[in-house]
Amino acid sequence: MLLAFFFGTLISRSSSLILKDDVGKLPALGWNSWNAYHCDITESQFITAAQKLVDLGLKDAGYEYVNIDDCWSDKDHRDADTNRLIPNTTRFPDGIKGTADKIHDLGLKIGIYSSAGTKTCAGYPASIGYEDIDAATWAEWGIDYLKYDNCNVPQNWTDECRGCVPENRPDLVNGTCTSTTDLCPSGYDFSQSNTAERYRIMRDALLSQNRSILYSLCEWGEASVQQWGNSTASSWRMSGDIDPAWSRILTILNENSFYLNNVDFWGHSDADMLEVGNGISIEEARTHFAFWAAMKSPLLIGTDLEQVPRDEVDVLKNSYLLAFSQDGLYGKPAMPYKWGTNPDWTFNASFPAEYWSGASSNGTLVLLFNPYNDTRSKTADFGEIPGLGDGKYQVTDIWSGKDMGCVDWKIDVDVEAHDTAGYLVGDGCY
Ligand SMILES: *[C@@H]1O[C@H](CO)[C@@H](O)[C@H](O)[C@H]1NC(C)=O
Ligand SMILES: *[C@@H]1O[C@H](CO)[C@@H](O)[C@H](O)[C@H]1NC(C)=O
Ligand SMILES: *[C@@H]1O[C@H](CO)[C@@H](O)[C@H](O)[C@H]1NC(C)=O
Ligand SMILES: *[C@@H]1O[C@H](CO)[C@@H](O)[C@H](O)[C@H]1NC(C)=O
Ligand SMILES: *[C@@H]1O[C@H](CO)[C@@H](O)[C@H](O)[C@H]1NC(C)=O
Ligand SMILES: *[C@@H]1O[C@H](CO)[C@@H](O)[C@H](O)[C@H]1NC(C)=O
Ligand SMILES: *[C@@H]1O[C@H](CO)[C@@H](O)[C@H](O)[C@H]1NC(C)=O
Ligand SMILES: *[C@@H]1O[C@H](CO)[C@@H](O)[C@H](O)[C@H]1NC(C)=O
């Protein structure tokens, strides 16, 4: 109770979600079951994933959460006496508490899933109206992270206007809708929407537990979450679901590139879970991972770690990108400094911005992306990059780790189809 009061005070004062022990300050790193297994889950997959995080060196690289997605509970009932969710003991023989203990014993943390509706997306009991009971249950089980989805919202909780959700909107200019369909009156305060309120109720339920539970919104970018996400949760989804198609990855990259002003310590725009390992090429895996890390999205691996090829594990462990994501001194993400094919600020799902940079403790991260289906030469011209200028800089290639020495004025590179070249540009030459 004392702790609840303490957190509550912090919230009303700073309007931001600050948790103990820096939980949620930096983008979350971990693994989630959905992209690998969807509903077909059993405890052994989670224990295997956790063990693999340890064995493959991913835990040492910073990955810490092992997250259970949809389908973990009894599909038909809550407990008749307590109204608690009941773990499916065919899937989790020792209950979620038993799984949590095993994950914690490996030095990792565990996440759970529900929806701010009557049922989850796969039709399991969900949390609206039961927020306090569910939060208390998860805290008792030792849960460290909640992904909170947006399916099956009761009629009286829906919103008349949904805000500008970029997907499938032909009227977008610069990432913003221009027609009024589905939109709210101008100046509408989305923090007063039913959507924001549904997510705040669970925030408060989690905060009144004596446990730090990272709160991750999965509200699909609706209700202009950019206006209220930072005061509600540690991260918020900016789009609908990812899938392992290259075109989908580019669509999300393009959309999120327009939302990065809202990202800093304690609040992260979630570009959805990683598809590395799920059939995209190694070049595409490099691009996907590099930009998700550079945008400071949460990085949740979504593949079977027993099958994933070594070169893809190496992408997931890239020390330069993980250091950028987890930089304790610089909270802002990398941003485009030039679009490339199209004029700057063009919203185009096939041609997202190609030239990006971001400041970090060890210099400027520079990414050069090739959206074409063949190799293209690209140039990082130091004079064009924020914080740099014409002159000489010490450059390291983030993929090979090679020290390129003192580089004069610019870097010229041939970038393969769908690949991204990346450099850490130090403050000056030694
Ligand atoms: C528990 O999961 C199994 C699949 O592993 C499923 O057949 C069964 O119907 C589930 N039980 C409940 C009560 O949801
Ligand atoms: C919707 O109905 C439920 C159950 O009656 C009620 O608890 C809740 O406050 C209502 N929501 C809104 C936004 O009025
Ligand atoms: C797009 O948005 C950016 C950032 O808000 C702004 O600098 C730029 O001028 C805008 N471009 C257009 C065409 O509106
Ligand atoms: C809260 O949790 C901590 C750490 O687990 C424990 O030491 C403390 O007694 C708990 N406080 C209350 C009020 O339950
Ligand atoms: C989100 O809130 C935190 C904590 O108050 C603050 O440090 C951060 O700058 C905020 N993010 C943005 C983009 O304003
Ligand atoms: C900076 O370099 C140090 C030493 O190699 C490393 O430990 C740290 O993670 C790096 N940080 C960033 C943001 O690159
Ligand atoms: C996206 O940009 C490309 C390259 O300029 C252009 O050919 C294509 O028509 C654009 N797509 C849309 C939907 O505007
Ligand atoms: C690359 O090839 C795919 C599949 O043939 C095609 O749909 C896409 O438009 C091509 N992209 C570019 C940038 O040419």
Side-chain angles (χ1 to χ4, degrees):
M1 284 306 117
L2 186 63
L3 213 58
F5 174 72
F6 174 64
F7 285 139
T9 309
L10 267 184
I11 276 180
S12 55
R13 211 176 29 215
S14 71
S15 247
S16 283
L17 190 68
I18 304 234
L19 300 179
K20 266 200 316 182
D21 304 324
D22 284 351
V23 168
K25 179 177 179 186
L26 301 172
L29 305 183
W31 182 91
N32 172 294
S33 51
W34 187 259
N35 288 349
Y37 304 111
H38 296 95
C39 229
D40 195 9
I41 52 172
T42 64
E43 181 190 61
S44 64
Q45 292 157 340
F46 295 90
I47 305 304
T48 300
Q51 189 62 54
K52 279 285 168 188
L53 288 178
V54 174
D55 297 346
L56 294 170
L58 290 157
K59 173 172 180 273
D60 285 344
Y63 292 89
E64 60 176 340
Y65 291 99
V66 176
N67 292 350
I68 302 171
D69 208 281
D70 207 345
C71 309
W72 56 269
S73 74
D74 183 303
K75 189 160 186 178
D76 303 314
H77 310 101
R78 287 175 172 268
D79 183 281
D81 299 325
T82 63
N83 271 331
R84 284 179 160 220
L85 292 165
I86 309 167
N88 180 324
T89 48
T90 311
R91 290 175 167 163
F92 296 90
D94 302 320
I96 302 297
K97 172 85 171 77
T99 308
D101 290 345
K102 293 170 205 171
I103 302 284
H104 287 148
D105 285 349
L106 288 165
L108 296 162
K109 295 177 173 178
I110 185 167
I112 200 100
Y113 166 97
S114 187
S115 178
T118 52
K119 286 185 186 300
T120 68
C121 298
Y124 291 66
S127 297
I128 203 159
Y130 297 94
E131 291 89 348
D132 289 328
I133 293 173
D134 291 352
T137 305
W138 296 325
E140 189 185 301
W141 290 344
I143 293 296
D144 304 298
Y145 183 116
L146 172 66
K147 170 179 172 181
Y148 203 38
D149 217 330
N150 198 19
C151 282
N152 298 303
V153 177
Q155 188 58 38
N156 76 326
W157 275 107
T158 56
D159 283 306
E160 273 171 38
C161 46
R162 294 165 64 224
C164 175
V165 180
E167 289 165 317
N168 311 315
R169 303 251 350 190
D171 59 311
L172 281 165
V173 173
N174 211 355
T176 303
C177 302
T178 53
S179 91
T180 51
T181 322
D182 273 353
L183 296 189
C184 302
S186 89
Y188 178 73
D189 178 2
F190 281 93
S191 72
Q192 301 307 308
S193 64
N194 281 330
T195 304
E197 181 59 15
R198 278 188 293 125
Y199 284 93
R200 273 195 300 266
I201 296 172
M202 181 57 86
R203 173 198 67 187
D204 294 344
L206 294 173
L207 286 174
S208 41
Q209 308 309 314
N210 181 16
R211 189 171 180 86
S212 295
I213 300 179
L214 191 152
Y215 186 29
S216 151
L217 308 186
C218 183
E219 80 318 296
W220 315 332
E222 292 187 355
S224 287
V225 66
Q226 287 75 23
Q227 291 180 16
W228 49 272
N230 199 35
S231 58
T232 306
S234 301
S235 64
W236 52 88
R237 283 273 298 281
M238 42 56 65
S239 72
D241 285 2
I242 198 169
D243 62 52
W246 175 237
S247 60
R248 183 71 191 139
I249 291 168
L250 287 195
T251 297
I252 294 177
L253 170 59
N254 173 57
E255 286 178 15
N256 203 31
S257 71
F258 289 88
Y259 294 140
L260 296 171
N261 280 331
N262 305 101
V263 176
D264 203 339
F265 290 130
W266 302 105
H268 298 102
S269 183
D270 183 350
D272 206 0
M273 303 175 292
L274 297 170
E275 294 286 7
V276 174
N278 296 340
I280 59 176
S281 72
I282 188 70
E283 293 81 11
E284 291 165 351
R286 276 196 288 266
T287 294
H288 179 22
F289 186 73
F291 282 107
W292 265 234
M295 296 189 295
K296 307 218 185 203
S297 171
L299 298 173
L300 294 171
I301 300 168
T303 197
D304 177 356
L305 289 173
E306 285 196 306
Q307 308 286 331
V308 62
R310 186 74 225 184
D311 56 352
E312 298 187 36
V313 174
D314 289 342
V315 169
L316 295 168
K317 281 166 65 173
N318 184 280
S319 62
Y320 299 95
L321 292 168
L322 288 172
F324 186 86
S325 154
Q326 302 292 299
D327 196 322
L329 297 176
Y330 289 74
K332 291 192 184 300
M335 305 252 194
Y337 66 87
K338 186 169 77 172
W339 260 246
T341 301
N342 287 318
D344 288 353
W345 301 105
T346 300
F347 187 91
N348 183 309
S350 310
F351 288 89
E354 295 160 36
Y355 297 84
W356 292 61
S357 70
S360 82
S361 292
N362 294 338
T364 302
L365 176 70
V366 176
L367 299 175
L368 307 175
F369 164 55
N370 175 11
Y372 291 91
N373 291 332
D374 51 5
T375 300
R376 298 284 165 128
S377 31
K378 300 196 92 72
T379 299
D381 185 337
F382 297 149
E384 292 178 346
I385 299 173
L388 304 182
D390 295 335
K392 296 181 178 181
Y393 293 91
Q394 193 71 30
V395 175
T396 307
D397 181 318
I398 64 162
W399 296 121
S400 66
K402 189 171 159 254
D403 179 353
M404 295 165 62
C406 196
V407 176
D408 214 357
W409 286 79
K410 63 189 175 75
I411 307 165
D412 290 313
V413 60
D414 288 338
V415 186
E416 284 180 63
H418 302 185
D419 208 346
T420 293
Y423 305 96
L424 192 58
V425 181
D427 284 340
C429 285
Y430 36 81

